[in-house]
Amino acid sequence: TVLGIHFGYFYEANPILNYFLVRFGLIGLISYKMFFVIVPILVFELISKLRLLSQNKIRLYYKVTIAIYLTGFFAGITYVIAH
C-alpha cells in the first residue's frame, strides 16, 4: 500500500489517514498505523501474559478495538464515496 501511494498508483481513501499522509508524508501514515494498530495489540498481549485480566475480558477488548477500527474505516470509505 505504501509503495502504491508513493508511486501514485493508490490514494488513501480514509480521510483521517489521508490527513496524516498529506501533513506528515509516508512517515506520518506509517506512524499512525503502527501506533493505532500495533500498540493496542502489544498492550493487550502484555496484559494477557501478565494475567492482569481474564481471557474473556481480553477477547472482549480485542473485539471492541476491532469494532472501533472498522467503524472508522467504513466511515472514511462512506465519506469518500459520498463526496
Side-chain angles (χ1 to χ4, degrees), residues 12 14-25:
E12 182 55 62
N14 183 327
I16 295 169
L17 290 177
N18 191 52
Y19 168 81
F20 281 90
L21 177 63
V22 170
R23 177 122 168 118
F24 304 107

Side-chain angles (χ1 to χ4, degrees), residues 9-81:
Y9 296 115
F10 305 139
Y11 69 95
E12 182 55 62
N14 183 327
I16 295 169
L17 290 177
N18 191 52
Y19 168 81
F20 281 90
L21 177 63
V22 170
R23 177 122 168 118
F24 304 107
L26 287 174
I27 297 299
L29 178 68
I30 293 167
S31 299
Y32 179 92
K33 285 189 173 199
M34 288 185 68
F35 184 78
F36 285 102
V37 174
I38 293 174
V39 170
I41 290 171
L42 293 175
V43 169
F44 290 146
E45 288 300 314
L46 179 64
I47 290 170
S48 177
K49 297 289 183 208
L50 296 175
R51 299 186 192 278
L52 298 175
L53 291 173
S54 70
Q55 290 300 314
N56 288 337
K57 287 213 181 215
I58 295 291
R59 281 190 212 103
L60 173 65
Y61 292 152
Y62 266 118
K63 290 175 185 176
V64 169
T65 302
I66 291 168
I68 291 170
Y69 177 81
L70 290 175
T71 300
F73 176 78
F74 286 115
I77 296 298
T78 302
Y79 175 82
V80 168
I81 290 171

